[in-house]
Amino acid sequence: MPSVAGETLELLGSGEVNSCYAVGDDLQARPISPAQYIAHAACEVDTPAEPLPPGTNDRVGAASQRFARELGQRLGRARRPRNTRARRFVSRHLTLAREEVQGDPIAVRRIDDLRQIFGGLQPARVEAALGEVYAIQPQGRALLARLEAMRETYRLSALDGSGRSDAVEPAVIGIVCSDGLVD
């Protein structure tokens, strides 16, 4: 459905994620494509600005709420660790390494920390590095040394008492652009 006069167009963003919405008097934000946004918001350079229609803030809020919901759903999916071959490889070999050092509580703790770090969600660059580990398939001390190096390189840590890892930053939503359509 094309945008119509009286609606407010919103372009919202968070990180690398952007979405466009059209919001009418009913405050139901409906997604529109970036091309639709541009087509309806385009005007001549010398077109005078119009006053904001009543309820503009409510419309912006409705679009922001929808974007936040959609972003949360998208991030929820992204925050689930993928069960990749690399992750399974690392987990299996850390389990074997832990069995070998059962009598050494410091080594057991070190391996448990690595299991917690590499068993949870990691940024894309760390996931890529895990893929490289899988490609060369180091085992034993070589695997532990590689994972320790990744831990230092990417400044990774096990979960703290709050249950959160420092690997994922909270999303900040910003209004990139907002336009009102007039006749």
Side-chain angles (χ1 to χ4, degrees), residues 13 22 24 44 53 68 71 92 130 154 159 181:
E44 298 299 321
L71 184 64
R92 182 174 58 250
L130 279 174
Y154 298 110
L159 297 177
L181 299 180

Side-chain angles (χ1 to χ4, degrees), residues 22-82:
V23 186
D25 289 332
D26 62 357
L27 300 181
Q28 296 299 313
R30 60 185 174 75
I32 60 173
S33 71
Q36 288 173 313
Y37 185 100
I38 291 168
H40 292 290
C43 62
E44 298 299 321
V45 175
D46 59 349
T47 303
E50 295 284 331
L52 293 174
T56 296
N57 287 341
D58 293 334
R59 292 174 184 194
V60 171
S64 294
Q65 288 175 354
R66 175 149 184 183
F67 182 65
R69 270 193 320 273
E70 291 173 358
L71 184 64
Q73 291 168 350
R74 188 177 293 177
L75 288 177
R77 285 191 299 273
R79 287 184 177 166
R80 291 186 203 113
R82 292 181 291 244

Side-chain angles (χ1 to χ4, degrees), residues 100-109:
E100 290 177 11
V101 297
Q102 211 47 328
D104 183 353
I106 294 172
V108 168
R109 175 68 183 167

Side-chain angles (χ1 to χ4, degrees), residues 87 90-91 93-95 97-98 101 106-122 126 130 140-152 156-159:
R87 191 177 305 282
V90 167
S91 176
H93 286 280
L94 285 176
T95 298
R98 190 178 193 281
V101 297
I106 294 172
V108 168
R109 175 68 183 167
R110 186 174 131 216
I111 292 171
D112 287 346
D113 284 349
L114 291 173
R115 287 181 63 128
Q116 188 174 20
I117 290 169
F118 293 103
L121 170 73
Q122 296 300 330
V126 177
L130 279 174
R141 290 183 184 174
L143 175 64
L144 294 177
R146 181 76 177 227
L147 294 177
E148 288 285 352
M150 287 173 57
R151 175 184 185 163
E152 292 300 315
L156 303 173
S157 64
L159 297 177

